[in-house]
Amino acid sequence: MELHQRTAHELGDLLANKELSSAELTASVLARVAEVEEQVSSYITLTPELAMEQARAVDQARADGKELGPLAGIPMGIKDNMSTTGTQTTCASSILKGYKPVYDATVVSRLRDAGGVFIGKTNLDEFAFGSSTENSAFGASKNPWDTERVPGGSSGGSAACVAAGEAVIAVGSDTGGSIRQPASLCGVVGVKPTYGRVSRYGLVAFASSLDQIGPLARDVKDAAIMMNAICGPDEMDNTCLPNSVPDMAADLTGDISGMKIGIVKELTSEGLEAGVEESFNNAVKVFEDAGAVCEVVSLPSVKYSLPVYYLIASSEASSNLSRFDAVRYGVRAEKYENILEMYTNSRGEGFGAETKRRVMLGTYALSAGYYDAYYGKALKVRTLIRRDFDAAFTKYDALISPTSPCVAFKMGEKTEDPLQMYLSDVCTVPANLAGLPAVSLPCGLSEGMPVGLQVIAPALEESRMLKIADAFERRFEGIGVPTVAEGV
Ligand code: GLN
């Protein structure tokens, strides 16, 4: 197998045994980027000099006999909504073009400390609003399995770079599915941790009661290794949980016999593409063959998740985005007569169409006279959704569904119809609303494109969730590698 298709844990072993240096590995990943980036467009900003410098530093530390963690020397991609000192952080928005943060997000500093090698900042939908990366002000990323199709979003660049061999592993953010849906569409593993498990300090806020950072990886074990590196308390984010973090890679034994798995009725009974349904049904058989008990369970309020999500997420986004006033950050309009015009012209020119749509929707939902009917009501239904999950977890160890009702769609297919785009989040948003951890992993192909399986666990039970996902992965024949990864 080629170097660029290997997992972080395999490469980590080669590095630890000094069969490979990080400089060699990084050079090979950069060569791969040079080969395929024009077709895939995973990155907004590439940082090859930084990457080589970090790789050499890890090699030197190893030569000096220093104790190094499993991610030391591993090339990775970082979603461009996480602050990186001295490296442009755009959120794929024109308004932040050229903005260089003066501090690192906690996740970024943890990855620097772990010896991560930063290949670049990956593409996304502007401010993470979207499901395809087509809302990026820097052009869309492409799906490595078929470059006429979208990679999903909003962490489409992070998913595409891992699938195409342009990074070994990546981090993304997930507010309503933005790690899991692109992972599903690109055939990689994506984890949204429990709300509060990972610090959001330095992550440009989209919807603060929903946002979480998590890994995109080539297998479950790699995702667990990345979770170990990024999870855990952080005094810089007061929504970050104080709980200690178990070694999430330690318990991947493959043994799930006797576990009870609920199939979420509301996410499986209608609206799925035939190929997605077939792969999902096969996945259920794999679990049963592994000795798990699978039953259909109804979570009645889950059917309201999509409207609830779009009200809450847009409301929080409209408030969070008020900081982009062209005073403290970003690009300022050239023409204005007074301060108000400066704001409106800068925001009018700097924000794309979807961002404006969210700001308008959110401002409306929060406005006097409408607040109770929209935002207030959405919060109440969110509580009902949470309670449905609580009730289900008294009976089941985990819940499953497909990650996305459809495989990767063609570029442009849903851009004219925002509602169609929003509908592709139907399976992922419930876990965000309930604050639960969820993982997507490949479970089949349909029309030659990857299908994703979602496993949702109770809060803070990422280890159990990853154990179930790994048990599936061990028994599943896999989906192979995308066309772009086969080599051009
Ligand atoms: N696709 C969803 C949205 O557009 C989720 C985005 C996200 O998780 N960042 O809001």
Side-chain angles (χ1 to χ4, degrees):
M1 194 189 280
E2 303 213 36
L3 221 44
H4 66 255
Q5 294 165 4
R6 297 222 174 172
T7 60
H9 59 88
E10 287 165 351
L11 292 164
D13 289 345
L14 294 176
L15 292 170
N17 297 333
K18 300 200 177 123
E19 288 168 57
L20 176 73
S21 72
S22 178
E24 283 165 339
L25 173 60
T26 304
S28 90
V29 169
L30 291 172
R32 178 75 189 156
V33 170
E35 197 179 24
V36 301
E37 177 60 4
E38 213 177 284
Q39 295 173 65
V40 186
S41 302
S42 300
Y43 291 97
I44 291 177
T45 306
L46 283 161
T47 52
E49 288 95 23
L50 171 66
M52 287 310 296
E53 198 181 297
Q54 289 171 316
R56 285 193 207 101
V58 168
D59 289 338
Q60 187 59 51
R62 209 181 298 277
D64 295 343
K66 296 228 171 76
E67 186 124 351
L68 300 173
L71 287 176
I74 300 292
M76 51 185 70
I78 294 171
K79 187 174 179 178
D80 203 24
N81 60 352
M82 295 176 209
S83 302
T84 42
T85 311
T87 300
Q88 159 175 267
T89 298
T90 67
C91 295
S93 181
S94 299
I95 209 160
L96 281 180
K97 199 166 178 212
Y99 163 63
K100 290 189 179 166
V102 291
Y103 71 103
D104 276 338
T106 295
V107 161
V108 171
S109 63
R110 287 191 183 166
L111 292 175
R112 273 192 218 272
D113 293 346
V117 170
F118 297 172
I119 299 295
K121 304 293 296 287
T122 59
N123 197 15
L124 64 151
D125 290 290
E126 184 177 15
F127 291 110
F129 302 150
S131 311
S132 70
T133 76
E134 290 165 299
N135 297 333
S136 168
F138 298 86
S141 299
K142 317 284 163 46
N143 193 308
W145 291 80
D146 173 354
T147 50
E148 290 185 356
R149 298 186 192 232
V150 302
S154 65
S155 313
S158 290
C161 74
V162 173
E166 296 182 282
V168 179
I169 196 161
V171 278
S173 63
D174 190 314
T175 304
S178 275
I179 292 173
R180 290 160 289 154
Q181 186 258 16
S184 172
L185 271 45
C186 289
V188 300
V189 176
V191 178
K192 183 202 91 74
T194 305
Y195 179 74
R197 201 43 138 163
V198 180
S199 168
R200 294 177 299 117
Y201 177 70
L203 169 72
V204 179
F206 165 177
S208 306
S209 76
L210 299 160
D211 298 339
Q212 264 298 281
I213 293 176
L216 293 107
R218 297 221 171 99
D219 69 1
V220 174
K221 188 170 178 186
D222 275 9
I225 290 169
M226 178 61 97
M227 288 286 283
N228 285 343
I230 62 175
C231 290
D234 177 21
E235 61 180 21
M236 301 303 282
D237 173 4
N238 61 16
T239 65
C240 198
L241 297 167
N243 308 59
S244 62
V245 183
D247 179 351
M248 296 192 192
D251 198 28
L252 306 178
T253 59
D255 179 12
I256 54 163
S257 60
M259 279 204 186
K260 289 196 79 181
I261 296 178
I263 301 164
V264 182
K265 179 167 168 250
E266 287 70 18
L267 304 181
T268 48
S269 44
E270 57 185 337
L272 303 181
E273 278 180 8
V276 171
E277 194 168 3
E278 195 186 320
S279 297
F280 179 73
N281 290 338
N282 290 337
V284 172
K285 289 200 196 92
V286 172
F287 282 126
E288 286 172 342
D289 290 346
V293 181
C294 299
E295 284 169 9
V296 175
V297 53
S298 175
L299 284 73
S301 300
V302 158
K303 59 176 169 295
Y304 305 118
S305 296
L306 219 45
V308 167
Y309 167 79
Y310 273 95
L311 281 168
I312 294 176
S314 303
S315 299
E316 293 183 14
S318 76
S319 160
N320 276 325
L321 263 60
S322 64
R323 76 194 60 183
F324 299 105
D325 55 7
V327 175
R328 286 165 293 181
Y329 319 85
V331 178
R332 186 175 296 184
E334 278 177 18
K335 294 203 186 93
Y336 53 88
E337 299 284 320
N338 53 45
I339 181 94
L340 189 62
E341 239 179 70
M342 194 281 282
Y343 291 146
T344 51
N345 291 0
S346 301
R347 285 166 67 88
E349 289 166 27
F351 288 156
E354 181 63 23
T355 301
K356 289 175 185 160
R357 186 177 294 123
R358 304 265 176 143
V359 170
M360 285 192 280
L361 180 64
T363 307
Y364 180 78
L366 289 175
S367 58
Y370 293 103
Y371 182 98
D372 287 343
Y374 293 112
Y375 187 68
K377 179 80 108 347
L379 289 183
K380 287 182 186 153
V381 183
R382 182 178 189 176
T383 303
L384 298 179
I385 294 168
R386 266 200 196 123
R387 286 187 190 154
D388 277 1
F389 276 102
D390 289 346
F393 284 127
T394 61
K395 285 209 199 125
Y396 298 97
D397 295 297
L399 299 170
I400 56 170
S401 75
T403 309
S404 162
C406 56
V407 295
F409 40 93
K410 291 260 160 68
M411 312 278 305
E413 196 181 311
K414 301 192 184 196
T415 40
E416 297 310 312
D417 187 350
L419 191 59
Q420 281 306 313
M421 193 70 91
Y422 297 173
L423 284 171
S424 66
D425 304 326
V426 65
C427 299
T428 48
V429 294
N432 300 78
L433 290 170
L436 303 170
V439 55
S440 176
L441 70 161
C443 71
L445 289 171
S446 166
E447 303 167 35
M449 300 303 291
V451 177
L453 164 71
Q454 176 173 238
V455 182
I456 309 172
L460 298 174
E461 294 292 350
E462 286 93 350
S463 287
R464 184 200 303 168
M465 174 182 90
L466 294 173
K467 182 178 179 151
I468 294 171
D470 169 74
F472 175 84
E473 192 181 68
R474 284 166 189 253
R475 290 168 176 86
F476 174 60
E477 69 271 20
I479 57 167
V481 291
T483 344
V484 170
E486 270 166 8
V488 270

